[in-house]
Amino acid sequence: VEVIRALNTYNLQNPKYPQLIGTFLIILIGLGVFYQLIGFTTGAELRSLSRLLLMAILLLLPLLFAELVLLVVPGWTLMFSLFPPQTYNYLIPAALASMLGGILLRFEVGVFLGFSVALCMSILLDNSLAFFIFSLMGSFVAALPVRAIVNRYALLRQGLRISAINVPVILVLALVEQRPIGTELAMNLGAGALNGFIVALIASSILPFLESMFDITTNMRLLELSNMNHPALKELSVRAPGTYHHSIVVGNLAESAADG
């Protein structure tokens, strides 16, 4: 009872309203800068309502996963004390927005989304600078090689790259914070390695719905549309074989010109 009374007295003497207002303003300024950078680097086409809605969804997805972890982990650690609470933070798919933003929109959007998610995530996790750096590095790697993604399996390779950067970042952060090398660090490294595959798995599951919902044609969707078993292509090859062959040749020429 004395502890509860002392806590109540402390809360009355130290209201959280200034902290909440400051946090709100920081996020608002960050999103404002993000909006302006989108306009400067990509033009007005990505500032339409549908594209801004897509970016908002991509920004909220990792934060929802983070909130889920924060709700589940306290009770989970009370029942099973095998893993320390911080280990679960490294399982949060912070790079998810950056990966999907780079694939669906542009590389610059993926980078800006990664920075915004890292900022919001660090505030959500008690102003953790370490997790801000962890999220930022993973997001940058998630957005970089999006041009090479031409099939669903490539997302798993992308997840492997994220895991490859997560592990050394966690190790460097442990050295900076002077944490002992032991079981907890090993668990954090394992969670960081698993994080990339979690991001790839969630991205491969959500990507088709986002493509259809916002009518965005990605490289993977083009490959699906070019399937020779498509009824329209089959009918074209039977009814107009010359046009069918000519269309394939022109398409291959256009692809070679675009790649060059």
Side-chain angles (χ1 to χ4, degrees):
V1 173
E2 292 298 329
V3 172
I4 294 175
R5 287 176 179 172
L7 179 62
N8 184 46
T9 303
Y10 176 81
N11 289 334
L12 291 176
Q13 295 176 352
N14 300 275
K16 293 185 177 181
Y17 298 109
Q19 181 182 5
L20 293 175
I21 294 174
T23 301
F24 173 76
L25 291 176
I26 289 174
I27 295 177
L28 185 63
I29 292 172
L31 294 179
V33 172
F34 168 72
Y35 179 77
Q36 293 298 325
L37 288 174
I38 289 295
F40 289 149
T41 58
T42 63
E45 69 274 6
L46 291 181
R47 298 173 73 170
S48 62
L49 182 60
S50 62
R51 295 298 180 260
L52 290 176
L53 178 61
L54 174 59
M55 294 178 204
I57 292 174
L58 295 181
L59 178 62
L60 288 175
L61 279 176
L63 300 180
L64 291 176
F65 281 107
E67 188 64 30
L68 180 63
V69 169
L70 292 177
L71 289 175
V72 172
V73 166
W76 184 266
T77 51
L78 286 176
M79 293 186 297
F80 307 98
S81 58
L82 181 61
F83 302 105
Q86 187 183 19
T87 300
Y88 294 95
N89 293 341
Y90 291 112
L91 294 175
I92 298 174
L96 178 63
S98 189
M99 177 185 284
L100 291 175
I103 295 172
L104 293 171
L105 298 171
R106 290 181 61 170
F107 160 72
E108 293 86 351
V109 176
V111 172
F112 298 150
L113 278 173
F115 179 82
S116 301
V117 168
L119 175 64
C120 297
M121 201 80 72
S122 63
I123 294 174
L124 191 62
L125 297 175
D126 297 328
N127 300 321
S128 174
L129 177 62
F131 199 82
F132 173 80
I133 297 174
F134 170 78
S135 302
L136 197 63
M137 295 297 103
S139 297
F140 284 170
V141 172
L144 277 175
V146 291
R147 294 179 182 271
I149 296 180
V150 293
N151 53 52
R152 304 291 175 184
Y153 295 103
L155 290 176
L156 295 177
R157 294 194 294 270
Q158 181 75 346
L160 181 61
R161 295 188 184 99
I162 297 173
S163 299
I165 193 62
N166 284 345
V167 171
V169 167
I170 293 174
L171 185 59
V172 169
L173 291 174
L175 294 175
V176 171
E177 296 176 347
Q178 297 182 348
R179 295 191 177 186
I181 299 176
T183 305
E184 182 177 351
L185 177 58
M187 291 180 179
N188 291 343
L189 292 174
L194 186 60
N195 181 281
F197 294 99
I198 294 175
V199 171
L201 180 62
I202 298 175
S204 62
S205 303
I206 297 177
L207 189 58
F209 298 101
L210 295 177
E211 289 174 349
S212 301
M213 187 183 304
F214 293 93
D215 193 24
I216 296 176
T217 303
T218 62
N219 290 341
M220 288 175 283
R221 192 175 182 186
L222 287 175
L223 289 174
E224 293 172 355
L225 293 174
S226 64
N227 185 5
M228 295 304 175
N229 292 322
H230 194 281
L233 292 178
K234 281 187 174 181
E235 186 176 0
L236 181 64
S237 64
V238 172
R239 295 194 176 188
T243 303
Y244 172 78
H245 179 71
H246 177 71
S247 300
I248 292 178
V249 172
V250 172
N252 290 333
L253 290 173
E255 182 184 7
S256 300
D259 290 337

